[in-house]
Amino acid sequence: VYEREGVRLPRTSRQQAVAGARRPTRWDAAAPGDLVMFAEPGRAISHVAFYAGNGRILHSSASGGGVRFDDLSTSRGRWY
């Protein structure tokens, strides 16, 4: 998606996390198209999603069975 828009990203999530501009770690600071990295405190990044806007993320998770949208106001979405 980013390459189609002329944006080159590193391959791994850890490399991507330090390549762009850091944003505040609040959902109200996220803009559509932002990559959002997830990690447990003191642990390495374990998940990456696109912020889709309106309190939703687009991501792929093993438990979800493919690419999906999750609304951050639902019980599943609040986990993120």
Side-chain angles (χ1 to χ4, degrees):
V1 170
Y2 288 102
E3 185 176 336
R4 288 179 52 181
E5 297 300 319
V7 176
R8 297 209 46 182
L9 290 175
R11 189 184 72 76
T12 70
S13 60
R14 291 177 192 131
Q15 293 168 333
Q16 292 168 1
V18 297
R22 188 172 183 97
R23 306 282 301 259
T25 54
R26 300 183 325 268
W27 286 116
D28 66 346
D34 283 351
L35 285 181
V36 182
M37 313 312 191
F38 298 91
E40 296 294 324
R43 307 283 295 219
I45 294 168
S46 60
H47 192 65
V48 179
F50 290 98
Y51 184 68
N54 298 319
R56 294 173 21 148
I57 58 172
L58 176 65
H59 64 124
S60 176
S61 66
S63 64
V67 177
R68 61 181 287 149
F69 279 102
D70 270 309
D71 187 318
L72 299 169
S73 67
T74 66
S75 59
R76 178 181 166 86
R78 278 191 295 275
W79 185 86
Y80 296 100

